[in-house]
Amino acid sequence: MDQIQAIVFDAYGTLFDVHSVVEACDRLFPDKGTQISEVWRAKQLEYSWLRSLMGRYQDFRQVTEDALRYACHSLGLPITDAQEKELMEDYLHLNCYKEVHEVLKQIQNHQMAIFSNGTLDMLNSLVQNTGLDPYISDVLSVDEAKVYKPAPRAYTLVLDKLKLEREQILFVSANAWDVVGAKSFGFHVAWVNRGNQTFAELGKNPDLILSDLGGLIASYWALRQKSE
Amino acid sequence: MDQIQAIVFDAYGTLFDVHSVVEACDRLFPDKGTQISEVWRAKQLEYSWLRSLMGRYQDFRQVTEDALRYACHSLGLPITDAQEKELMEDYLHLNCYKEVHEVLKQIQNHQMAIFSNGTLDMLNSLVQNTGLDPYISDVLSVDEAKVYKPAPRAYTLVLDKLKLEREQILFVSANAWDVVGAKSFGFHVAWVNRGNQTFAELGKNPDLILSDLGGLIASYWALRQKSE
């Protein structure tokens, strides 16, 4: 088996905390921030899968906006265009999880990329706003493939862009469905299980389980040695 | 536009109440029935979409069982194989919604079919156990296409089996994502909105909105006249 050549990170939920919009939601809709944020995220994912299945792709900015509108309507909270714009702007200013900077700094001699459902605009904003740009060589978006993860055609983009084979990739995601998709595609996969979640019952399991990105360094070397 | 020639019903959530397993869940896990039932249904759908997207189809019995196992684990409720089997058996004995018999009886001079994610075994059991068999001419399962709704390839099965064109079908579903999939495919579509839900933000809307199946008869005739 070839050595791992690149570490590829999912973005939302893995490097960036999607629920850091809670505060912004709370500002516009007092005490409803957590609820909005949860429905917003759930529908954002659901819509990405459904649109992919129907063959009716729209980019992640649109899907995210649609999901926000649904979240507010379903919770009985009328949202104006200006408020929608404000919250969408906040989505470009999500926080990193607290350990991210330190971990990426420690492994900065490796090739690291981001591969996400987000558009390049969204992702580049996030990487710059959080100061991760010195560590990340490639920011890759499913937008070029016009289909969302976990469709195999989406993951193929990583190979095309990085000019690597499947087994040369260590893919890192906190999203169980993304872990299954990537594993099923043939990557080595680490699942970041923040908050002691139950893994998906989808017939594939991660190679590594980490409680946060901090565990990546030791585990990565173990996996590299195992694969040599 | 051709006249509507057949009324095709979705099964789970539309004719049959998936949450009628609450009582069975409560029997095994006191006071946890509602919670189990909700997670069970959410994951059942999620897994059907994800497996379709990954090209890793498993039939609906398997997906339903996997979703049940996830639901129990994620709620910290260990489930034995025997309990799993017991609850899966209950899934073949879901109740009809209360108005279903009367409505189907009233329109029994029309061709009526069921088109569902469920396997033929699961669907035929349900139709027989609830006494709907006199009204339903065709029970159709995505299992033959090996992909779940809302993939267009799934809905195509209805045309192949009923030998009809898209615009000759009135499809009836309580599931917003199924309504969008069917509308996007080209059926006439009625959304059964039990419990005043918010419709999906997926860029397509139903032709008819009914608060339960009772509204179908008058609306159906209005739609038929409109389409003539």
Side-chain angles (χ1 to χ4, degrees):
Chain A
M1 202 193 293
D2 286 346
Q3 272 193 356
I4 288 163
Q5 297 295 321
I7 308 176
V8 179
F9 296 94
D10 170 53
Y12 300 108
T14 302
L15 298 177
F16 309 108
D17 184 355
V18 289
H19 295 296
S20 48
V21 290
V22 168
E23 204 180 310
C25 292
D26 263 336
R27 201 173 55 228
L28 296 179
F29 304 101
D31 299 328
K32 296 288 182 181
T34 303
Q35 232 182 329
I36 294 174
S37 170
E38 274 166 16
V39 180
W40 187 3
R41 173 62 172 168
K43 287 292 156 175
Q44 180 194 46
L45 293 177
E46 190 177 314
Y47 290 176
S48 75
W49 303 328
L50 290 168
R51 283 195 168 274
S52 295
L53 265 181
M54 290 188 282
R56 297 182 59 239
Y57 178 85
Q58 289 281 342
D59 76 26
F60 206 56
R61 190 184 282 262
Q62 181 67 52
V63 164
T64 302
E65 214 173 305
D66 293 344
L68 170 60
R69 210 163 42 247
Y70 176 90
C72 290
H73 287 181
S74 72
L75 296 169
L77 304 168
I79 184 168
T80 65
D81 287 355
Q83 288 173 323
E84 202 173 295
K85 209 173 154 189
E86 188 178 331
L87 289 179
M88 284 299 294
E89 183 60 31
D90 279 308
Y91 216 84
L92 306 178
H93 295 270
L94 301 174
N95 302 325
C96 277
Y97 287 99
K98 62 181 186 319
E99 78 280 10
V100 170
H101 269 273
E102 187 53 35
V103 172
L104 298 201
K105 192 176 171 186
Q106 279 195 48
I107 54 175
Q108 64 182 312
N109 54 329
H110 296 91
Q111 182 178 7
M112 287 188 276
I114 286 177
F115 174 57
S116 160
N117 276 339
T119 64
L120 283 181
D121 271 3
M122 294 169 86
L123 295 170
N124 285 327
S125 292
L126 270 177
V127 168
Q128 277 157 31
N129 292 336
T130 52
L132 293 186
D133 33 340
Y135 311 121
I136 302 295
S137 65
D138 300 84
V139 175
L140 312 175
S141 165
V142 301
D143 196 39
E144 207 163 318
K146 305 292 179 213
V147 70
Y148 288 104
K149 299 189 271 184
R153 197 155 53 81
Y155 297 104
T156 303
L157 203 83
V158 174
L159 307 183
D160 295 347
K161 292 288 181 178
L162 301 187
K163 312 275 181 228
L164 292 172
E165 303 295 322
R166 291 165 202 231
E167 59 274 16
Q168 294 177 313
I169 305 284
L170 173 62
F171 185 71
V172 182
S173 179
N175 296 294
W177 56 272
D178 189 18
V179 166
V180 173
K183 186 67 198 162
S184 168
F185 182 72
F187 293 156
H188 299 280
V189 188
W191 178 40
V192 184
N193 182 18
R194 291 196 183 83
N196 203 17
Q197 306 279 306
T198 302
F199 196 69
E201 292 280 346
L202 283 164
K204 291 276 178 189
N205 291 306
D207 300 291
L208 300 172
I209 302 178
L210 315 170
S211 59
D212 65 28
L213 281 181
L216 189 61
I217 302 157
S219 306
Y220 167 64
W221 285 108
L223 190 73
R224 240 184 112 140
Q225 283 184 316
K226 203 175 119 194
S227 78
E228 273 171 343
Chain B
M1 203 191 292
D2 284 346
Q3 271 192 357
I4 288 163
Q5 298 293 322
I7 308 176
V8 180
F9 296 94
D10 169 56
Y12 300 108
T14 302
L15 298 176
F16 309 108
D17 184 357
V18 289
H19 295 297
S20 48
V21 290
V22 168
E23 205 180 310
C25 291
D26 264 334
R27 199 174 58 230
L28 295 179
F29 305 101
D31 300 328
K32 296 287 183 183
T34 303
Q35 232 182 329
I36 294 173
S37 171
E38 275 167 15
V39 180
W40 188 3
R41 173 62 172 167
K43 287 292 157 179
Q44 180 195 45
L45 292 177
E46 189 176 313
Y47 290 176
S48 75
W49 303 328
L50 290 168
R51 282 195 170 275
S52 295
L53 265 182
M54 289 189 284
R56 297 183 56 240
Y57 179 86
Q58 288 280 341
D59 77 25
F60 207 55
R61 190 184 282 264
Q62 182 66 54
V63 165
T64 302
E65 214 173 306
D66 293 343
L68 170 60
R69 207 162 46 246
Y70 175 91
C72 289
H73 288 180
S74 71
L75 297 168
L77 304 167
I79 183 168
T80 65
D81 287 354
Q83 289 173 321
E84 202 173 296
K85 210 175 155 190
E86 188 178 332
L87 289 179
M88 283 300 294
E89 183 62 28
D90 279 307
Y91 216 83
L92 307 177
H93 296 269
L94 301 175
N95 302 325
C96 278
Y97 287 100
K98 63 180 186 320
E99 80 279 12
V100 170
H101 268 273
E102 187 52 33
V103 172
L104 298 201
K105 194 176 171 187
Q106 279 196 47
I107 53 174
Q108 63 182 313
N109 54 330
H110 296 91
Q111 182 177 5
M112 288 188 276
I114 286 177
F115 173 58
S116 162
N117 276 341
T119 63
L120 283 180
D121 271 5
M122 294 170 85
L123 295 170
N124 285 327
S125 294
L126 270 178
V127 168
Q128 276 156 31
N129 292 337
T130 51
L132 293 186
D133 33 339
Y135 311 120
I136 302 295
S137 66
D138 300 84
V139 175
L140 312 175
S141 166
V142 301
D143 195 39
E144 207 164 316
K146 305 291 178 215
V147 70
Y148 288 104
K149 299 190 271 184
R153 196 154 55 81
Y155 297 105
T156 303
L157 203 82
V158 174
L159 307 182
D160 294 348
K161 290 289 180 178
L162 301 187
K163 313 276 181 227
L164 291 172
E165 303 296 324
R166 294 166 200 228
E167 61 275 17
Q168 293 176 312
I169 306 284
L170 174 61
F171 185 71
V172 182
S173 179
N175 295 295
W177 55 271
D178 190 18
V179 167
V180 172
K183 186 65 197 162
S184 167
F185 183 71
F187 292 156
H188 299 281
V189 188
W191 179 40
V192 184
N193 181 18
R194 291 194 183 84
N196 202 18
Q197 305 279 305
T198 302
F199 195 70
E201 293 279 346
L202 283 164
K204 291 277 177 190
N205 292 305
D207 300 292
L208 300 172
I209 301 177
L210 315 170
S211 59
D212 66 27
L213 281 182
L216 188 61
I217 302 156
S219 307
Y220 167 63
W221 285 108
L223 189 74
R224 240 186 111 142
Q225 284 186 312
K226 203 174 118 196
S227 78
E228 273 172 343

